[in-house]
Amino acid sequence: MRLSRSLSITSLSGLPLWEEESLPVQDLLLFEVSWEVTNKVGGIYTVIQTKAKITVDEWGENYIMMGPYYEHNFKTQVEKCEPPNQAIKAAMDSLNNNGCQVHFGRWLIEGSPYVILFDIGAAAWNLDRWKGDLWNACSIGLPYHDREANDSLIFGSLVAWFFKELTDQLQDKPNVIAHFHEWQAGTGLVLSRSRKIPLATVFTTHATLLGRYLCAGNADFYNNLDKFNIDQEAGERQIYHRYCLERAAVHCAHVFTTVSQITAVEANHMLHRQPDVVTPNGLNVRKFSAMHEFQNLHSMNKAKIQEFVRGHFYGHLDFNLEKTLFFFIAGRYEFSNKGADLFLESLSRLNYLLRVHKSDVTVVVFFIMPAKTNNFNVESLKGQAVRKQLWDTAQSVKEKFGKRLYESLLRGEIPDMSKILDRDDFTIMKRAIYATQRHTFPPVTTHNMLDDSTDPILSNIRRIGLFNGRNDRVKIVFHPEFLSSTSPLLPMDYEEFVRGCHLGVFPSYYEPWGYTPGECTVMGIPSVTTNLSGFGCFMEEHVSDPSEYGIYIVDRRFRSADESCNQLTQFLFSFCQQSRRQRIIQRNRTERLSDLLDWRYLGRFYMHARHLALSRSFPGKFKMDHLNLAPTQGFRYPRPASVPPSPSASLHSTPHHSDEEDDDTYDEEEEAEKDRQNIKAPFTLGAEPEDDSCFHQSSRCS
């Protein structure tokens, strides 16, 4: 199945804007409905939260989010207030007067959007009646034991009820657009359409339900997209009712969108509808923007990680921290979907290459994936205590040394260095050195794992034999908790940690978009992704030579698992060969890609979806004359003209060349200006014919 090109961005500086007229937002109300409004569960929370600012800038008080009410979230994230629109207030009062609880306020994030939150528990007494309504509307039944599906029905029923009351109040002016995210919110869309409520509806799937389940079960997903018996697969996994809700929402929506071309192909097979618009996920780049400071931030935060490494590897710190690179992988603990299996195997091969080439580079790899633990590892805590004790000892001796040196110089004497420290000082230092001795390897995990023997990461570490030995050039630290600045082990938040690392590695097999490499990009940190992730496909489309800009794309679609692993290993080994100057050049280039991921540009895809929905639901009032947007203008970053950052592309005879050997033709400002000019030269993307051979030999680690 050949991937058709997505609608290309045409809103960057210097490019022609889309020809469609802006919507009369003063005569419209936009509602965005999601289970993750004020309720962080997964990546959709990031999408909604980061997009809020540009949507509020466009729609003002006519933009309202809708989600479930949780008391703790409401008290800590929402400022309660009265609805500014009387029709909204009347609709809420109607629900409240009928035994439901609906809350209104401003979500305290950038943009401060209005939110309407529905109390699921307070309306649970209607569950049986609403199950009957759902069955009568679309013949979908929900089992009593599926709490999540039942909650989604209560939520959807409340949303549909609210929209019925609202539209009755408004009497067709202003018109209402309702944008629903994922199957949990989709029930409200299905019920609204079945009751013929006058809404323009958009439904976005960020990942298909069945696709995520199949990939988690190690199915050869992309090679068999057209061969799966969808109903049977959903039934065997006991999610048939959820799948039916998702599919019903997809087919009821006026406009169906998804976040990437790879997910569009998946949705076409799993849900039997081709998405109308691809809406890539963006970021609020200004939040991460550090201008020319991002290099200094990298240096500062790298020093914090080095301090952790000094403690964690005490007694085995026989490697040079100035020649140590920090790699990381982070996200939900989906071992195969996130590519942790491929990454671990490639680390084993990288360790072999570094040892064979007698490299003086050491790689410390962090796995930041939450798993079940019962506490910090005692050995990890001891390491940080030993490091702190050693630091205190060094400080006290330094203070004595400095005072005696100062007094000696005041007397006009050159001090006798053998006498400036007394025997007690040497005793203290010797005791400190003995305290750093260790007869075991540094731990590979920072916590006590509840399922140590069956944990996939630990099991594979045992298989490949990377136990942080002295001879290993690749060291592993598994941190099975999300990072926090209050942690006694690694007191850094996620953004600080990313800025301090050298490379993010995300070789995902199933990744509808992939925010982690996107966050690396806007912070100027190179990353590894794949052509089976939405982010990787997006970068392949818009950057001629992504690796020169610090975006390494592993081919998991056309290569076998072993070939993909070798390619990833080569990327990592090539990165280890870079000089410090080359890494700085590459970080500059990576950070310049930030604008590609800014909601100020990617938000236009959402604008187009809303306009399309209005033209389909209210054709008499809203029209779109140019609905066929397959061939459209876009942009493409060319390969940088100056010095390549990667040694594999240079002419050095040895991988261990010095900084002085580097070509001095690189001019950061000149290259940045060339990039700014190059993105002003549009090109045309044509729709490509579908071809099932596209997914042959898609790689999957066994």
Side-chain angles (χ1 to χ4, degrees):
M1 195 66 42
R2 175 129 350 236
L3 295 183
S4 60
R5 296 285 193 171
S6 66
L7 209 62
S8 296
I9 303 170
T10 58
S11 56
L12 283 176
S13 175
L15 291 180
L17 295 175
W18 286 344
E19 295 177 0
E20 68 180 75
E21 300 174 1
S22 59
L23 292 173
V25 295
Q26 67 278 6
D27 297 327
L28 296 167
L29 286 175
L30 172 62
F31 291 88
E32 198 149 9
V33 187
S34 171
W35 190 258
E36 298 199 35
V37 170
T38 74
N39 176 40
K40 184 173 176 57
V41 178
I44 301 171
Y45 178 90
T46 306
V47 177
I48 292 167
Q49 184 193 43
T50 56
K51 187 168 62 67
K53 176 67 167 64
I54 61 128
T55 313
V56 170
D57 288 345
E58 181 190 0
W59 289 78
E61 293 190 346
N62 288 3
Y63 172 58
I64 302 103
M65 294 184 178
M66 304 171 80
Y69 170 83
Y70 291 98
E71 185 178 10
H72 174 73
N73 293 344
F74 189 81
K75 287 182 175 179
T76 57
Q77 299 182 45
V78 180
E79 179 187 16
K80 189 172 183 179
C81 62
E82 288 296 313
N85 187 304
Q86 288 305 308
I88 293 175
K89 187 176 190 308
M92 288 177 55
D93 289 343
S94 177
L95 268 69
N96 286 326
N97 293 335
N98 281 279
C100 303
Q101 292 184 21
V102 187
H103 303 265
F104 190 92
R106 281 192 181 274
W107 190 5
L108 300 178
I109 58 174
E110 193 169 6
S112 300
Y114 286 125
V115 291
I116 299 174
L117 304 177
F118 300 92
D119 192 324
I120 307 299
W125 57 276
N126 287 300
L127 179 59
D128 289 338
R129 176 165 62 88
W130 285 340
K131 280 187 177 183
D133 292 344
L134 182 67
W135 178 261
N136 293 332
C138 53
S139 300
I140 298 174
L142 302 183
Y144 73 92
H145 57 77
D146 189 341
R147 171 74 179 273
E148 190 174 3
N150 290 331
D151 284 351
S152 74
L153 173 59
I154 297 171
F155 177 52
S157 299
L158 289 167
V159 168
W161 186 358
F162 172 85
F163 280 138
K164 179 70 171 71
E165 297 289 343
L166 178 67
T167 52
D168 287 348
Q169 292 281 337
L170 294 174
Q171 294 296 323
D172 202 35
K173 188 170 178 67
N175 293 117
V176 177
I177 307 172
H179 190 147
F180 298 82
H181 292 267
E182 283 297 307
W183 71 273
Q184 293 99 325
T187 313
L189 191 157
V190 174
L191 293 172
S192 296
R193 291 304 305 279
S194 69
R195 295 168 186 172
K196 295 182 170 53
I197 300 174
L199 300 171
T201 56
V202 182
F203 182 76
T204 297
T205 182
H206 297 256
T208 68
L209 259 174
L210 194 54
R212 195 176 288 281
Y213 272 84
L214 287 168
C215 287
N218 287 323
D220 188 5
F221 185 62
Y222 293 102
N223 282 337
N224 295 287
L225 269 176
D226 56 347
K227 300 180 183 67
F228 289 116
N229 183 328
I230 305 301
D231 291 340
Q232 179 183 334
E233 297 288 351
E236 289 177 352
R237 287 160 178 77
Q238 299 183 23
I239 57 165
Y240 186 69
H241 54 289
R242 296 188 183 191
Y243 163 73
C244 289
L245 284 175
E246 181 181 40
R247 186 168 166 181
V250 165
H251 287 271
C252 285
H254 292 105
V255 172
F256 171 43
T257 81
T258 189
V259 296
S260 64
Q261 279 296 339
I262 199 81
T263 314
V265 174
E266 173 190 340
N268 194 26
H269 285 86
M270 298 288 113
L271 301 171
H272 301 292
R273 181 176 175 181
Q274 182 69 32
D276 300 291
V277 185
V278 171
T279 52
N281 288 338
L283 284 163
N284 187 350
V285 171
R286 194 174 68 177
K287 171 191 171 187
F288 298 98
S289 177
M291 300 301 287
H292 295 291
E293 275 295 299
F294 77 94
Q295 295 282 10
N296 294 335
L297 290 171
H298 167 71
S299 182
M300 288 165 47
N301 290 302
K302 182 179 71 172
K304 294 181 182 178
I305 299 175
Q306 286 175 336
E307 281 300 291
F308 166 80
V309 168
R310 287 187 178 101
H312 192 79
F313 291 91
Y314 83 92
H316 287 256
L317 203 64
D318 51 0
F319 50 91
N320 185 353
L321 279 176
E322 292 305 314
K323 292 186 177 180
T324 298
L325 301 178
F326 301 129
F327 297 173
F328 80 99
I329 182 173
R332 279 193 302 267
Y333 197 170
E334 298 176 6
F335 183 68
S336 296
N337 283 359
K338 297 298 183 186
D341 49 358
L342 191 76
F343 189 25
L344 280 165
E345 179 59 35
S346 69
L347 289 177
S348 175
R349 300 180 187 188
L350 175 65
N351 186 53
Y352 172 79
L353 286 176
L354 292 174
R355 290 174 64 177
V356 165
H357 287 82
K358 300 189 184 319
S359 173
D360 59 353
V361 172
T362 302
V363 178
V364 177
V365 183
F366 293 87
F367 285 75
I368 312 295
M369 290 180 159
K372 293 180 180 178
T373 64
N374 60 16
N375 215 325
F376 292 109
N377 185 313
V378 172
E379 192 64 23
S380 296
L381 289 170
K382 179 183 175 184
Q384 299 308 314
V386 167
R387 177 193 61 78
K388 189 175 185 307
Q389 183 184 17
L390 199 62
W391 172 258
D392 292 342
T393 300
Q395 289 299 105
S396 82
V397 171
K398 184 179 79 170
E399 198 172 302
K400 288 182 183 178
F401 180 92
K403 186 176 180 181
R404 291 168 187 167
L405 176 63
Y406 171 66
E407 289 173 348
S408 178
L409 293 175
L410 279 177
R411 293 194 298 269
E413 302 172 358
I414 298 296
D416 184 349
M417 301 308 289
S418 62
K419 296 180 180 178
I420 202 164
L421 292 177
D422 56 30
R423 181 174 294 181
D424 287 344
D425 295 328
F426 283 104
T427 301
I428 292 171
M429 287 190 289
K430 286 178 182 177
R431 286 178 61 184
I433 291 172
Y434 290 153
T436 64
Q437 291 182 352
R438 176 190 256 169
H439 302 292
T440 58
F441 289 146
V444 295
T445 178
T446 57
H447 292 61
N448 295 323
M449 303 290 292
L450 290 182
D451 302 317
D452 184 291
S453 59
T454 59
D455 181 80
I457 289 179
L458 295 182
S459 297
N460 274 269
I461 288 173
R462 296 184 192 106
R463 179 182 63 80
I464 61 179
L466 282 180
F467 298 119
N468 296 337
R470 288 186 182 276
N471 295 326
D472 290 327
R473 297 271 51 82
V474 174
K475 320 283 187 182
I476 293 179
V477 178
F478 179 23
H479 189 282
E481 263 187 10
F482 285 130
L483 296 169
S484 168
S485 57
T486 60
S487 168
L489 279 184
L490 189 54
M492 303 176 74
D493 62 29
Y494 180 71
E495 183 182 334
E496 290 175 328
F497 176 77
V498 172
R499 288 191 185 277
C501 287
H502 296 91
L503 183 70
V505 186
F506 314 102
S508 305
Y509 182 78
Y510 185 79
E511 190 74 81
W513 177 249
Y515 259 124
T516 40
E519 288 167 339
C520 287
T521 301
V522 299
M523 288 188 267
I525 302 301
S527 62
V528 177
T529 182
T530 74
N531 58 359
L532 289 181
S533 75
F535 175 84
C537 290
F538 181 83
M539 283 300 177
E540 271 190 325
E541 181 177 339
H542 294 296
V543 183
S544 291
D545 193 349
S547 62
E548 296 295 337
Y549 285 90
I551 309 294
Y552 298 93
I553 301 175
V554 176
D555 186 355
R556 297 199 68 178
R557 191 190 309 160
F558 303 110
R559 300 191 183 196
S560 68
D562 188 60
E563 289 171 330
S564 297
C565 190
N566 283 335
Q567 185 186 21
L568 175 56
T569 305
Q570 189 54 48
F571 282 154
L572 300 180
F573 184 59
S574 174
F575 190 88
C576 292
Q577 290 178 286
Q578 290 183 12
S579 65
R580 182 173 178 273
R581 182 171 182 270
Q582 287 174 321
R583 292 197 301 271
I584 291 172
I585 291 171
Q586 192 175 57
R587 283 197 293 274
N588 283 330
R589 291 177 182 165
T590 303
E591 198 269 345
R592 284 206 300 275
L593 295 182
S594 296
D595 280 350
L596 303 193
L597 304 173
D598 198 330
W599 274 122
R600 289 177 300 159
Y601 310 132
L602 298 182
R604 291 185 173 271
F605 292 98
Y606 279 85
M607 297 178 196
H608 173 68
R610 294 170 201 140
H611 202 157
L612 189 57
L614 284 169
S615 70
R616 290 178 177 176
S617 55
F618 307 110
K621 298 178 65 175
F622 301 92
K623 289 183 171 59
M624 290 186 70
D625 297 327
H626 55 293
L627 299 183
N628 183 16
L629 291 172
T632 184
Q633 284 192 324
F635 64 89
R636 194 174 176 90
Y637 271 83
R639 189 175 185 274
S642 61
V643 56
S646 171
S648 62
S650 66
L651 301 176
H652 296 290
S653 58
T654 169
H656 300 291
H657 56 278
S658 66
D659 289 358
E660 286 73 21
E661 287 180 279
D662 285 329
D663 190 344
D664 289 325
T665 60
Y666 174 75
D667 186 317
E668 202 270 331
E669 288 298 327
E670 180 182 344
E671 186 175 283
E673 181 57 32
K674 283 181 180 178
D675 278 345
R676 284 192 286 271
Q677 295 300 321
N678 280 320
I679 64 173
K680 295 181 182 181
F683 75 111
T684 300
L685 292 176
E688 298 186 9
E690 293 190 351
D691 179 2
D692 287 341
S693 65
C694 176
F695 288 103
H696 287 313
Q697 295 187 358
S698 149
S699 68
R700 182 85 200 202
C701 261
S702 57

